[in-house]
C-alpha cells in the first residue's frame, strides 16, 4: 500500500519492502513524540532506573525512539558498586555486567565527567529532557557531633572505604594505622567491611583494592578492632552473610562477651526470621564451645575483633600533642523499648577505651544537589511520592537520595523500578507533555561545550577499564584502579 | 569454508528427531563447544534442512515445510541452545514449567534438566534479575514456589538462606531462582515472581493516554 505524497510509492511496489516503508514513515512521524529522559548518577539506582525504563518503553510503539541519558560527575561509572563494595566481595560487582548491557543499548548514552549543579543545572536538564531522574546517592556521612571528632586520627568509614576503593577524593587520606587498637563506631555492614579490611590476611585483600592502600595496610599495626554500638545485640544493623564472614576470617578470633548474649535465645523466639538467624549466630559464637578446627584457629590467631554494646560516644580524647586521638569516652546506655525501635538512654555511667584510630560508621548522608530541588535536610532525602519529587513535575528520584542510605542491591533495584513505573505512567497519562519536543543531549552538549566541559562516553570508560585491567594483570590483580581523574582524562585524550 | 557432511537418512532423521552430529572444526561455534565436550548441531541442521531432510515435528504448525528458520527454531526449543552435549537424551531432558510474572500472567516455558530457574527465566525474557550472576551474593532472583514443590527441592544451602533473609516479602515458600536446578520431577512446577513495585498500577495495567 503506497503512501501518497511521501515518495514511498516506489518502495511500496517492492512487496518485501512494504513493511519497511510503512515502518520508516511511522518512525519519522513518531521521532517528535520520543521521550527524552535523563538520569543523574550512574550507580545502581541510576542504571536500574534506566534499564527498567528502556525495557518497558519497548512495549509502546511510539516510544521505540525514547532515549535515556545517564550523567555522572566522575569520569567513571557505577558509583558504590565500584567505590563502596568491599574489594574482597567481587561477586557483588557482577551487576556491572548488567549495567554495561544497558549502557550498550543504542537508546542509552553515558556521559561522565559532568557535574550536575555545576557544569549544567537541573533547570537546564529539565529544558532539554521530558523527565529528569535524580539518582545521585549519598556522598557525605553523618557526623558524630561530639568534641574531638575532628582530631587527625578520626575518620569517617565512608572516607576510609573510599580510600581503599580508589575514590579520587579520598586518595590522599593516609589513615593512621600505627596503633594496635582501632574503634569503629557503628555496627552495620560498612563497619564490618572496614574491620575486615583492617584485619584480613593480605592475600584475601589482594583484589581490586588500590595498590597504595594495600601497601599501607601491609604496614599496619592494627591488631584489634572494636565495633561499638549504642544499643544491644538485637539492634545490630549488619547482616548474617557478613557476620559469618567475620567469624570465619582467617588469622582472627572474635571477642564476644557471653554476658551480652545470655538469655537472648528466649527473647528471639518470635522475631522475624532474618533477625532470629542473625542473633542465633551471635549467640552460638559467644556461648557455645567452638569445634576443634575453630578452636585451633582462634588459639593461633594474631588479630581479634569484638562487639561492644550499649556504649554511646561522648568525646574523642586528644593525645598529648593535641592533634591525634588517644581514646574515646563513652556513655553506658540502657535500652528503653525493644526490637528495632529500642532507644539507648544514658545511665550516667561512663567508660573510656584507649585507641588512636577511630572510624565513624554511623551512616552515609545525601546532600542537596542544586538549590532548585526540594530537599529534606533532616531526613537527608528529596521529598517524593513513589519517586515523583514533590512540587516538581518532571522531576523524579530513585535510590538512596529517595529512600535514605540503607539497603542492598535488591532494595535499590526495586525502588528504581518503582520510580521508572512512575515515569512510565506519567508518560502514558500525558502528565509529561510529549508534544513539547525536547532536544535531549543535543542541547546539553552545547551548554557543556560553552563551559569547557568534555563528557566522557561509555566507550571512553571502556578504554579506562581496559587500562586498569592491564595494569592489574602486571600486579596479579583483577584491576589496578586509576585514582587520579586527570590521569583518566589524559588516557582518553581529553 | 564449512565442509558439508553427507545427510544421514536414519529413521530418526526422517521423523525429525536429529541425532547429535560432529561438525568439522571450521564450524563457527564448534571450537568453544568442542572444548567443553559438546557438539554443535545448529549449523549442520541448517545445511540438512536446506537439503529437505528435516520436517519440523513441533506442534507450532511448521510441520511439512522445509526451511532453515522453523527447523532451527524447533531445535532451539527442544534443547534450549544451539549446542548440546552428545550424552544428553533429547526429549527426556525437557521440563515444562510455568512462570507467573509480576503482573500475574502465566507464562509456560520449556526448560532443560540441569538448568537453573534464573537462567531459564532469562532465556525466555521473563523479568527475573540476577545481579550477582548466581554467586549467592544477592537476592534479586527471589521467586515463590508451591508448597509441594518446596518439599521436592533439596534443602537450601546455608548461604542461600543467608541471602533469602534479605529478600523483601520473604515467605515460607521463597527460594532463589539461581539455586533451583530443574529435574524431571519438577515437571509442571510454578514459579511466582514477587511483586516488587509499590506503584499503583502494580498489575501491569497500562493507562490509556488522554
Amino acid at each position: 500500500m503506497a503512501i501518497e505524497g511521501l515518495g514511498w510509492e516506489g518502495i511500496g511496489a517492492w512487496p518485501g519492502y512494504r513493511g519497511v516503508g510503512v515502518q520508516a514513515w511511522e518512525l519519522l512521524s513518531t521521532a517528535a513524540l520520543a521521550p527524552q529522559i535523563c538520569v543523574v548518577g550512574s550507580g545502581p539506582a541510576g542504571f536500574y532506573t534506566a534499564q527498567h525504563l528502556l525495557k518497558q518503553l519497548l512495549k509502546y510503539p511510539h516510544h521505540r525512539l525514547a532515549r535515556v541519558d545517564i550523567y555522572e560527575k566522575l569520569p567513571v561509572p557505577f558509583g558504590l558498586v565500584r567505590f563502596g563494595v568491599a574489594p574482597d566481595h567481587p561477586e557483588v560487582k557482577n551487576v556491572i555486567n548488567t549495567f554495561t548491557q544497558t549502557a550498550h543499548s543504542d537508546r542509552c548514552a553515558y556521559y561522565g565527567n559532568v557535574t550536575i549543579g555545576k557544569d549544567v543545572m537541573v533547570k537546564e536538564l529539565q529544558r532539554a529532557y521530558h523527565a529528569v531522574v535524580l539518582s545521585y546517592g549519598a556522598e557525605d556521612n553523618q557526623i558524630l557531633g561530639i568534641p574531638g571528632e575532628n582530631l587527625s586520627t578520626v575518620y569517617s568509614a565512608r572516607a576510609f572505604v573510599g580510600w581503599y576503593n580508589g575514590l579520587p577524593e579520598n586518595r590522599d587520606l593516609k589513615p593512621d594505622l600505627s596503633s594496635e587498637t582501632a574503634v569503629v563506631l557503628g555496627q552495620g555492614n560498612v563497619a564490618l567491611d572496614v574491620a575486615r579490611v583492617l584485619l584480613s590476611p593480605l592475600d584475601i585483600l589482594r583484589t581490586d583494592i588500590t595498590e597504595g592502600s594495600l601497601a599501607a595496610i601491609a604496614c599496619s599495626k592494627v591488631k584489634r578492632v572494636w565495633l561499638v554500638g549504642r544499643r544491644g545485640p538485637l539492634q545490630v544493623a549488619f547482616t548474617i552473610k557478613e557476620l559469618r564472614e567475620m567469624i570465619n576470617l582467617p588469622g582472627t578470633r572474635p571477642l564476644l562477651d557471653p554476658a551480652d548474649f545470655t538469655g537472648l535465645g528466649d527473647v528471639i523466639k518470635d522475631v522475624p526470621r532474618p533477625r532470629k538467624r542473625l542473633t542465633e549466630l551471635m549467640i552460638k559464637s559467644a556461648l557455645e564451645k567452638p569445634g576443634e578446627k575453630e578452636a585451633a584457629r582462634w588459639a593461633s590467631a594474631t588479630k581479634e575483633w569484638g562487639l561492644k554494646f550499649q556504649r554511646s560516644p561522648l568525646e574523642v580524647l586528644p593525645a598529648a600533642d593535641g592533634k591525634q586521638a588517644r581514646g574515646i569516652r563513652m556513655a553506658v546506655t540502657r535500652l528503653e523499648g525493644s526490637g528495632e525501635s529500642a532507644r539507648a538512654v544514658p545511665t550516667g555511667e561512663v567508660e573510656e577505651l584507649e585507641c588512636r584510630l577511630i572510624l565513624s560508621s554511623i551512616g552515609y548522608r545525601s546532600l542537596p544537589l542544586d538549590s532548585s530541588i526540594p530537599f529534606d535536610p533532616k531526613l537527608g532525602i528529596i521529598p517524593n511520592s513513589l519517586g515523583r519529587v514533590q512540587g516538581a513535575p518532571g522531576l523524579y528520584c530513585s535510590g538512596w537520595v529517595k529512600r535514605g542510605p540503607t539497603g542492598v542491591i535488591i532494595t535499590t533495584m526495586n525502588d528504581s523500578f518503582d520510580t521508572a513505573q512512575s515515569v512510565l505512567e506519567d508518560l502514558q497519562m500525558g502528565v509529561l507533555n510529549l508534544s513539547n519536543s525536547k532536544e535531549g543531549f543535543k542541547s546539553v552538549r552545547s551548554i557543556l561545550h560553552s563551559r569547557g566541559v568534555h563528557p566522557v562516553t561509555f566507550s571512553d570508560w571502556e578504554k579506562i577499564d581496559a587500562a586498569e585491567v592491564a595494569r592489574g594483570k602486571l600486579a596479579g590483580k583483577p584491576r589496578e584502579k586509576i585514582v587520579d581523574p586527570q590521569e583518566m582524562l589524559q588516557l582518553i585524550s581529553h | 569454508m564449512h565442509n558439508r557432511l553427507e545427510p544421514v537418512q536414519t529413521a530418526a532423521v526422517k521423523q525429525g528427531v536429529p541425532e547429535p552430529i560432529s561438525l568439522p572444526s571450521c564450524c563457527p561455534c564448534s571450537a568453544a563447544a568442542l572444548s567443553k565436550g559438546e557438539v554443535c548441531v545448529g549449523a549442520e541442521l541448517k545445511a540438512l534442512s536446506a537439503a529437505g531432510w528435516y520436517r519440523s515435528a513441533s506442534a507450532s504448525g511448521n510441520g511439512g515445510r522445509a526451511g532453515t528458520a522453523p527447523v532451527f527454531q524447533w531445535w532451539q526449543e527442544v534443547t534450549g541452545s544451539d549446542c548440546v552435549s552428545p550424552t544428553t537424551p533429547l526429549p527426556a531432558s525437557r521440563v515444562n514449567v510455568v512462570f507467573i510474572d509480576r503482573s500475574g500472567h502465566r507464562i509456560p516455558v520449556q526448560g532443560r534438566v540441569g538448568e537453573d530457574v534464573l537462567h531459564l527465566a532469562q532465556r525466555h525474557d521473563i523479568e527475573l534479575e540476577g545481579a550477582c550472576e548466581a554467586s549467592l551474593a544477592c537476592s534479586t532472583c527471589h521467586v515463590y514456589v508451591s508448597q509441594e514443590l518446596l518439599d521436592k527441592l533439596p534443602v537450601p544451602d546455608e548461604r542461600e538462606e543467608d541471602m533469602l533473609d534479605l529478600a523483601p516479602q520473604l515467605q515460607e515458600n521463597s527460594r532463589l531462582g539461581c539455586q533451583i536446578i530443574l529435574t524431571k520431577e519438577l515437571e509442571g512446577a510454578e514459579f511466582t515472581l514477587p511483586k516488587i513495585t509499590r506503584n499503583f498500577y502494580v498489575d501491569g495495567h497500562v493507562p490509556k493516554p488522554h
Side-chain angles (χ1 to χ4, degrees), chain A residues 239-245 248 273-274 277-278 281, chain B residues 136-139 156-167 170 176:
Chain A
T239 50
I240 194 168
K241 176 171 188 269
E242 288 72 14
L243 177 64
R244 229 186 265 289
E245 195 179 4
N248 296 329
R273 174 188 133 148
R277 291 181 78 240
L278 176 63
L281 179 58
Chain B
L136 286 172
C138 78
S139 54
D157 194 89
E158 183 180 75
R159 295 174 304 158
E160 180 182 349
E161 300 276 35
D162 286 355
M163 293 323 298
L164 279 171
D165 278 358
L166 298 180
L170 184 67
L176 293 183

Side-chain angles (χ1 to χ4, degrees), chain A residues 23-90:
Chain A
Q23 254 184 351
W25 178 81
E26 189 190 21
L27 282 176
L28 281 179
S29 70
T30 56
L33 295 175
Q36 301 287 318
I37 302 170
C38 76
V39 174
V40 176
S42 70
F47 263 104
Y48 270 132
T49 306
Q51 174 189 318
H52 197 75
L53 281 168
L54 288 168
K55 191 155 194 184
Q56 299 303 315
L57 283 170
L58 278 177
K59 297 178 183 168
Y60 307 127
H62 292 303
H63 301 332
R64 260 174 294 147
L65 288 181
R67 286 205 60 88
V68 179
D69 293 337
I70 302 175
Y71 291 94
E72 164 61 50
K73 76 175 174 200
L74 290 171
V76 298
F78 309 133
L80 283 178
V81 181
R82 174 178 164 102
F83 294 115
V85 175
D88 55 350
H89 289 167

Side-chain angles (χ1 to χ4, degrees), chain A residues 168-425:
Chain A
E169 72 184 56
N170 298 128
R171 65 193 190 268
D172 295 325
L173 191 72
K174 295 192 192 41
D176 187 319
L177 307 176
S178 62
S179 67
E180 278 198 8
T181 303
V183 164
V184 179
L185 300 169
Q187 293 176 332
N189 282 334
V190 177
L192 278 180
D193 273 357
V194 302
R196 201 176 66 251
V197 167
L198 282 169
L199 299 177
S200 267
L202 290 179
D203 57 345
I204 292 182
L205 278 185
R206 168 173 253 94
T207 50
D208 63 3
I209 191 171
T210 63
E211 185 198 331
S213 55
L214 190 61
I217 291 168
C219 302
S220 162
K221 298 281 185 292
V222 177
K223 280 190 165 32
R224 185 179 310 110
V225 179
W226 290 110
L227 278 77
V228 177
R230 288 176 305 171
R231 299 187 295 172
L234 292 178
Q235 288 78 36
V236 296
F238 49 67
T239 50
I240 194 168
K241 176 171 188 269
E242 288 72 14
L243 177 64
R244 229 186 265 289
E245 195 179 4
M246 201 70 210
I247 290 170
N248 296 329
L249 191 64
T252 71
R253 78 173 70 88
L255 301 169
L256 301 171
D257 184 351
D260 287 329
F261 300 93
T262 317
L264 221 50
D266 299 318
V267 178
I268 57 167
K269 276 193 171 45
D270 295 314
V271 309
R273 174 188 133 148
R275 176 64 66 189
K276 187 165 187 214
R277 291 181 78 240
L278 176 63
T279 313
E280 280 170 351
L281 179 58
M282 280 191 284
I283 293 172
K284 174 168 177 273
S285 309
L287 299 181
E288 272 179 33
K289 194 162 170 260
E292 228 185 277
K293 257 197 187 143
E294 217 171 28
R297 183 165 58 83
W298 291 355
S300 63
T302 51
K303 302 186 183 175
E304 45 194 28
W305 64 278
L307 300 172
K308 277 194 192 295
F309 297 107
Q310 295 176 234
R311 300 290 183 270
S312 181
L314 288 174
E315 184 184 348
V316 179
L317 306 167
D321 68 356
K323 296 206 186 83
Q324 303 182 343
R326 68 168 167 79
I328 185 161
R329 179 177 295 141
M330 306 172 295
V332 176
T333 70
R334 60 177 174 80
L335 294 184
E336 260 180 19
S338 64
E340 316 294 326
S341 57
R343 294 189 323 119
V345 173
T347 57
E349 251 190 86
V350 161
E351 215 177 76
E352 279 181 20
L353 194 50
E354 217 178 278
C355 57
R356 187 179 302 156
L357 174 63
I358 296 173
L359 293 167
S360 159
S361 183
I362 59 174
Y364 280 60
R365 191 171 63 150
S366 295
L367 297 175
L369 187 66
D370 176 315
S371 54
S372 69
I373 303 178
F375 189 82
D376 181 332
K378 193 156 163 274
L379 295 175
I381 58 169
I382 296 176
N384 71 92
S385 171
L386 292 179
R388 293 180 178 91
V389 176
Q390 276 170 11
L395 214 51
Y396 303 81
C397 55
S398 68
W400 281 7
V401 81
K402 167 191 177 191
R403 288 184 347 259
T406 58
V408 290
I409 278 281
I410 192 172
T411 353
T412 292
M413 185 189 89
N414 289 350
D415 119 18
S416 302
F417 286 4
D418 225 357
T419 294
Q421 284 292 110
S422 295
V423 176
L424 289 163
E425 217 179 278

